[in-house]
Amino acid sequence: MIVSGIPYDDPTPHPPFTTPLPPTSSSTSTSTSGSASASTSPLGSTSTSVPASTSRPSPARFAACYAALAESGVTAIASIHLSAEMSGTVDSARAAARDAPIPVEVIDSRSIGMGLGYPVLAAARAAAAGAPLETVTSAARRCAMSTRTYFYVDTLDNLRRSGRIGAAARLLGSALMIKPLLHIVDGQISLLEKVRTATRAIARLEDLAVQAAGDGPVDLAVQHLAARPRAEALAERLRKRLPALADLQVVEVGPVIGVHVGPGMLGLTITPHTS
């Protein structure tokens, strides 16, 4: 069994790779690949002369990855990817899956970042325990449905330019006067609330995480771009406010997500904890 996940369109033209999980009775690993047509810095910023753009991996790259895994002895693949509302990655994976030499189940996570990462981890745990493909994909879908993502950006300009802004587009006229709180709904980025200052926006982000967590055990990821001190301070406050917190991570988003959200972004992804 293989669990593969592409968290976002990849800015570097490298071949697919796999990272083995702990040995089990079945063959299990995580696979990532992608491509892009832009020059980006580690913070997701672009040069002054070349606008950043991203592109989905081609069906041929997926086909090559699936074929290589089949040749290595893998008997089934759970292929989990970012929202089809934001990228054509799922379409490429499905096109390749139709002609794959082994069963491939392609799953649209309807999210990005750790909103995709948690379903991939849930599927990987099931696969590592020797579960069949149906059980592995069910674990991923259950996790995706119960995972919530909220985030704050200093400006909507990057999202507007990249076309990822969805229902939040009505804010563009006042983007310089407000600090938008956004969330992912039905696979799209949508406006949640308008807040006047960055301090109030981050405080509200914290409250939203507490509300979403409820009383049960949860895993939480604080995601940021070029804002680690701010992210770590938010994580520390949440650690104190969530007594049932099972796992807390502070991670910086990759350069391609950075292109779309811009420096200063803070995001929270909450999912029910499963052992």
Side-chain angles (χ1 to χ4, degrees), residues 131-156:
L133 180 60
E134 182 179 358
T135 301
V136 169
T137 55
S138 292
R141 290 189 173 99
R142 284 195 306 272
C143 182
M145 290 180 63
S146 60
T147 297
R148 299 290 179 266
T149 295
Y150 307 94
F151 62 103
Y152 153 82
V153 292
D154 277 329
T155 173
L156 291 170

Side-chain angles (χ1 to χ4, degrees), residues 30-53:
T30 302
S31 168
T32 306
S33 69
S35 64
S37 57
S39 173
T40 64
S41 76
L43 298 182
S45 61
T46 65
S47 68
T48 57
S49 59
V50 181
S53 63

Side-chain angles (χ1 to χ4, degrees), residues 66-141:
Y66 295 158
L69 292 172
E71 290 177 4
S72 72
V74 171
T75 58
I77 299 172
S79 194
I80 310 164
H81 307 288
L82 78 169
S83 174
E85 300 293 334
M86 303 184 205
S87 168
T89 301
V90 166
D91 291 336
S92 290
R94 285 173 175 158
R98 286 194 289 270
D99 297 322
I102 55 177
V104 177
E105 184 74 19
V106 177
I107 299 173
D108 179 356
S109 72
R110 309 290 284 170
S111 193
I112 55 174
M114 285 303 292
L116 162 63
Y118 282 128
V120 170
L121 291 172
R125 285 192 293 269
L133 180 60
E134 182 179 358
T135 301
V136 169
T137 55
S138 292
R141 290 189 173 99

Side-chain angles (χ1 to χ4, degrees), residues 111-202:
S111 193
I112 55 174
M114 285 303 292
L116 162 63
Y118 282 128
V120 170
L121 291 172
R125 285 192 293 269
L133 180 60
E134 182 179 358
T135 301
V136 169
T137 55
S138 292
R141 290 189 173 99
R142 284 195 306 272
C143 182
M145 290 180 63
S146 60
T147 297
R148 299 290 179 266
T149 295
Y150 307 94
F151 62 103
Y152 153 82
V153 292
D154 277 329
T155 173
L156 291 170
D157 287 347
N158 296 70
L159 287 167
R160 175 184 57 80
R161 283 194 294 266
S162 67
R164 264 72 172 186
I165 204 166
R170 62 184 178 271
L171 277 176
L172 290 178
S174 60
L176 296 178
M177 297 182 291
I178 58 92
K179 297 299 182 182
L181 286 177
L182 307 170
H183 62 160
I184 298 177
V185 180
D186 297 329
Q188 295 183 322
I189 297 172
S190 299
L191 168 67
L192 180 61
E193 295 178 8
K194 305 176 187 179
V195 184
R196 286 294 178 183
T197 67
T199 299
R200 290 180 181 177
I202 295 170

